[in-house]
Amino acid sequence: MVQTPFTWRYGGHQVFLSGSFNRWSERMPMFLVEGSQNIFQRIIDLPPGCYQYKFLVDGTWRVDQQQICDLDEYGTMNNIVLVRGTELTSPDLNAEAFRPSTSRTSSSAGPLNEPVLQLSDGEMDVFRQVLSMHLLSSSTYELIPNSGKVLALDVEVDVEQAFHVMYDSGLAVMPLWDENRGQMVGMLTASDFILILLQLQRNHTMFGNPELEVRTIAAWKDWKLQHHRDVIRAMVPLQRRPLIHAGPDDSLADVASRILQNNISAVPIIHSVPGPSPTLLHIASLAGILKNVCRHFKNHLGYLTLLQQQVGYVPLGTWSIDVRRALGRPLLTLHPNDPLSSALTLLLEAEISSIPIVDNGGNFINIYSRSDITSLAKDNIYTRIQLNQMTVSQALELTAERGRDRYKTCTRFDSLYRVMELLSEPDVRRVIVVEASSRRVEGVITLRDVFDFFSR
């Protein structure tokens, strides 16, 4: 057991304490500190754990805004204390103690080797507990915009037509509707078009060939199930699985977990009621969930030191081997004159969403992403090219015409929260870490990297 002090510093006639440590069933009286007329305190023996608590001051429930606080699953604001062994992340600790140092040394740009977080396990536990409570108490309904439209494709739509619809709509993923079954049955993604174009190239044919077997989306999905191993050289055969989706009342924690566990980019939010056809409300993605998280934590940064850590010292992302030698897989890059077919094949076989494009000195030029494949629909360019003859640079000229932010850059000295804000912007699914003066690519941080780190 750990002696844990709880302190109310703001006066009152009668002050009581209650919390999750006593299942909120008891109001424990607090006592004036000797020599003070305003400070009440109560010391309780608690086992290690994370607890929520609140003060009842003259009949009114109050929280101490100068301490760590967050909403519970019912939307009620409570203070939080972490009791850890003989150590305590104390409720007496003033919020100023949680504020990060404003000093930043960016001149030492040597290798990071193994990243070392500049905070305790207790502070990490507090953050993950606060994040978990927020995600569990927030629903996917909060992701649905007040206005706008959501598009779905019928599985009997021609694949070429679907390609153009995705390009014209600026979408990289679209839900699929089966009229015969009266339900959503799957998702069509930019990766589908990469697979189709690569397979057409291998067969020395292209869209428009009257002998082409795969015409509709349904026919393509069936064909992919049968030939998945041959197309992307996967060792495990693809299996048909039910559509992963969410309801408007599902928690953001559940939705994020489904996306991560199933290695998908988004899930449709579907409202199902007995009788009528289900209603497609929106597409839930990690970007939307992260935007919700950033908005919630924006005014709590002083309490959550993890979010103020320099991203170069946070163990997430993919890094060049000369910058960080201790983590994961190497950072893959391509050059502007590499053939587009090489980029597309690398995206699939390495199971990554984008590849930085660099010059001979390793300096950042651009990125090529899976979603960029839809730009080949412009003026039916895909019908007139060979993927092994078009360069990455030529393909990127098509994406520039869309005028969208496809990526953001940062340095290793930017805060984790800054990177999270960048990743939550529309169409930005990855942040390229560059060396400030030379623009040399040092790493890539994706949406999935951030959520994987938070869920460890």
Side-chain angles (χ1 to χ4, degrees), residues 158-188:
D158 186 272
V159 170
E160 277 193 89
Q161 182 183 350
F163 199 7
H164 284 277
V165 170
M166 292 182 71
Y167 170 74
D168 293 338
S169 305
L171 299 173
V173 58
M174 291 187 69
L176 298 177
W177 171 260
D178 189 326
E179 183 65 30
N180 293 328
R181 298 165 61 182
Q183 63 185 34
M184 298 291 173
V185 294
M187 304 286 276
L188 188 71

Side-chain angles (χ1 to χ4, degrees), residues 29 46 87 104 122 129 157 175 198 271 274 285 294 298 422:
L46 293 176
E87 300 176 2
R104 174 182 293 184
Q129 180 73 16
V157 165
L198 286 173
H271 181 51
S285 65
C294 288
K298 185 174 184 178
L422 295 175

Side-chain angles (χ1 to χ4, degrees), residues 222-240:
D222 289 338
W223 189 95
K224 186 170 73 167
L225 277 173
Q226 299 173 27
H227 301 276
H228 176 74
R229 181 180 298 180
D230 296 332
V231 174
I232 64 170
R233 304 173 191 174
M235 296 303 296
V236 179
L238 189 66
Q239 296 180 343
R240 193 185 297 275

Side-chain angles (χ1 to χ4, degrees), residues 50-52 67-73 77-82 98 122-138 293 296-297 300 303-304 307 454:
C50 188
Y51 302 96
Q52 300 176 54
Q67 310 304 327
I68 304 173
C69 52
D70 196 50
L71 296 174
D72 64 14
E73 62 268 29
M77 184 69 74
N78 298 314
N79 284 120
I80 295 173
V81 59
L82 177 72
F98 279 84
E123 290 169 307
M124 281 292 301
D125 290 341
V126 166
F127 174 78
R128 286 184 170 131
Q129 180 73 16
V130 169
L131 176 63
S132 176
M133 287 194 301
H134 171 68
L135 293 177
L136 286 170
S137 63
S138 303
V293 170
H296 176 73
F297 286 146
H300 299 280
Y303 306 125
L304 303 171
L307 300 185
F454 287 159

Side-chain angles (χ1 to χ4, degrees), residues 301-416:
L301 296 181
Y303 306 125
L304 303 171
T305 48
L306 171 64
L307 300 185
Q308 295 301 323
Q309 291 290 305
Q310 294 178 2
V311 74
Y313 292 95
V314 180
L316 81 169
T318 304
W319 297 78
S320 63
I321 195 168
D322 58 329
V323 173
R324 183 179 291 180
R325 300 188 180 96
L327 285 184
R329 58 189 179 185
L331 177 66
L332 302 174
T333 61
L334 287 173
H335 296 286
N337 291 327
D338 287 330
L340 180 58
S341 58
S342 297
L344 299 179
T345 301
L346 187 58
L347 286 170
L348 295 178
E349 293 186 351
E351 297 182 340
I352 54 179
S353 63
S354 62
I355 308 171
I357 311 303
V358 299
D359 61 19
N360 292 333
N363 300 318
F364 179 66
I365 299 175
N366 208 325
I367 64 168
Y368 193 84
S369 304
R370 293 192 188 209
S371 57
D372 292 330
I373 193 66
T374 60
S375 64
L376 296 182
K378 176 180 171 58
D379 299 327
N380 295 321
I381 290 174
Y382 62 92
T383 65
R384 306 191 302 272
I385 64 158
Q386 292 293 327
L387 299 178
N388 57 359
Q389 295 177 6
M390 172 176 264
T391 66
V392 172
S393 178
Q394 290 170 331
L396 286 171
E397 291 177 7
L398 301 174
T399 65
E401 298 176 12
R402 301 304 297 270
R404 296 183 302 174
D405 284 334
R406 299 161 45 256
Y407 64 86
K408 294 290 186 179
T409 62
C410 73
T411 73
R412 68 168 91 158
F413 304 105
D414 283 304
S415 71
L416 174 58

